[in-house]
Amino acid sequence: MALTKEQIAQRIAQELQDGYYVNLGIGIPTLVANYIPEGIEVVLQSENGLLGIGPFPYEGEEDADLINAGKQTVTTIKGSAFFDSAMSFGMIRAGKVHLTVLGAMEVSDNGDIASWKIPGKMVKGMGGAMDLVASAKNIIVAMQHTNKAGESKLLKKCTLPITGLACVRKIVTELGFFNITEQGFELVELAPGVTVEEVKSKTEGRLVIAPNLKVMQL
Amino acid sequence: MKKVYKNAQEAIADIESGTTLMLGGFGLCGLPENCIAALVQKGVNNLTCISNNAGVDDFGIGLMLQKRQVKKMIASYVGENAEFERQLLSGELEVELVPQGTLATRCMAAGYGIPAFFTPAGVGTEVAEGKEVREFDGKKYLMEHAFKADFAIVKAWKGDTHGNLIYKETARNFNPVMAMAGTITIAEVEELVPAGELNPDIIHTPGIYVHRIFQGTNYEKRIEQRTTRKRD
């Protein structure tokens, strides 16, 4: 069985370590917050100026002045801090954020990412994505393996406008967990019930199978 | 020292068509609502607006787009606005998309008196076209310039008659860096107090950057994505 969006988030959450400052993008990455392993402390950074994103507020307690980068009403945790947008990206550029998780439209087998524009169709802007991918030490992409037309999103070369070059380190899709290596996408974990053949048939870029390939544990 | 204005109409009275404006806020959070309403009412047009987002169809800068007051928008993310997308695709509206951190830092640089800086954001992308690329310690960076804005219009939580400002929660966002960057900076605040009532230790924007200040009224503070959880 291919992973659900929640399971993709659950797998990524296993990469979190105690003391990490983490920026989660919109969509599947946001769900990672629901699966932070017990016993570790992780602080979520929101690029609109908050360290320490808490859960959604209780009904009736929404505060228009307190939102995350997806413009959703949120709360703070104990030990939160607010700051302005320049400082927010200052800490991102300076490499203080340990892990960035974001979505993508395409990723190439050398780690290029395209995520902000479909020429002639969709122009929403890059938001903070270009700043994040240019500076983050560890970038995990959470996305579906194929697009709505069934075409691979793991490519030899991105076809859409680039967000950043050679920056993605890891990808989790509904089919498995991949490292970006010099040999291309390295399949290191298969989603339960998914075959190597299925991954091969849905991956357009260079694909290598890790010698110690495992089935993903959730 | 005469910084206190009666209201938004008075504070923006000399903003003419063709002006470059910075407008604080992130999404619909921390927007200078009173000044936007006054600009719509005044009907100035051909504006260049520097703001992280373009509002939604009927709130924020979206209100100025509806009235075709904006000639050029400089922003990082402009989703959530159908009228914006229509004007953009039809060529009525000029748009410069800037990575969010670069946008913030171009404001900050203006307020710090730094004409340009190098950032890795956008290297190898469309954003890099026509820009100087320089390598530092083996990594490539783009040269980006400080913004120049005739007016910066910001929203703060509290302010005093000297123009010192304090923001609330994530409504801070772009407001402090834009406040530093305007040739003339106009601040609207929820509560205006006499000089001396704010603790100098917790001022976010020192009054030297603020030329005009007024207490706003009737803040709607619209929520873009109302997300909640149920009580257990």
Side-chain angles (χ1 to χ4, degrees), chain A residues 69-97:
Chain A
K71 285 101 175 180
Q72 298 171 312
T73 45
V74 293
T75 58
T76 53
I77 60 166
K78 284 179 182 166
S80 286
F82 296 113
F83 36 86
D84 66 58
S85 300
M87 184 179 282
S88 180
F89 284 93
M91 61 185 76
I92 288 166
R93 276 194 302 263
K96 306 296 181 190
V97 174

Side-chain angles (χ1 to χ4, degrees), chain A residues 4-103:
Chain A
T4 62
K5 288 178 180 178
E6 284 74 17
Q7 288 172 318
I8 292 174
Q10 204 178 340
R11 176 61 191 87
I12 291 171
Q14 293 174 11
E15 300 296 299
L16 300 173
Q17 292 177 25
D18 188 46
Y20 262 23
Y21 288 90
V22 180
N23 182 290
L24 301 175
I26 295 162
I28 302 175
T30 305
L31 301 173
V32 173
N34 300 333
Y35 300 100
I36 297 171
E38 278 190 31
I40 70 166
E41 223 174 345
V42 167
V43 177
L44 301 177
Q45 199 255 16
S46 193
E47 63 265 28
N48 57 319
L50 167 60
L51 274 172
I53 309 173
F56 292 147
Y58 290 119
E59 276 175 39
E61 293 182 1
E62 307 93 312
D63 177 353
D65 291 327
L66 183 47
I67 62 170
N68 65 16
K71 285 101 175 180
Q72 298 171 312
T73 45
V74 293
T75 58
T76 53
I77 60 166
K78 284 179 182 166
S80 286
F82 296 113
F83 36 86
D84 66 58
S85 300
M87 184 179 282
S88 180
F89 284 93
M91 61 185 76
I92 288 166
R93 276 194 302 263
K96 306 296 181 190
V97 174
H98 299 95
L99 174 66
T100 291
V101 184
L102 75 173

Side-chain angles (χ1 to χ4, degrees), chain B residues 94-105:
Chain B
E94 241 182 282
V95 176
E96 181 182 338
L97 289 168
V98 178
Q100 196 174 136
T102 301
L103 189 78
T105 309

Side-chain angles (χ1 to χ4, degrees), chain A residues 56 59 63 65 73 124 134, chain B residues 78 139 169-170 221 227 229:
Chain A
F56 292 147
E59 276 175 39
D63 177 353
D65 291 327
T73 45
K124 291 189 186 299
Chain B
V78 293
K139 185 169 171 171
E169 301 168 339
T170 57
K221 293 198 182 181
T227 44
R229 66 188 148 136

Side-chain angles (χ1 to χ4, degrees), chain A residues 146-159:
Chain A
T146 55
N147 63 22
K148 283 182 186 140
E151 297 156 341
S152 181
K153 293 168 71 172
L154 282 72
L155 305 173
K156 285 191 187 74
K157 198 173 187 313
C158 292
T159 63

Side-chain angles (χ1 to χ4, degrees), chain B residues 1-4 158-166 189 191-200 203 206-208 213 215:
Chain B
M1 185 172 303
K2 163 73 174 94
K3 292 193 179 184
V4 178
K158 291 182 180 179
D160 70 16
T161 50
H162 277 201
N164 295 304
L165 303 176
I166 297 173
V189 298
E191 191 186 348
L192 181 62
V193 300
E197 286 202 9
L198 300 178
N199 178 353
I203 300 295
I208 192 168
I213 189 166
Q215 182 166 305

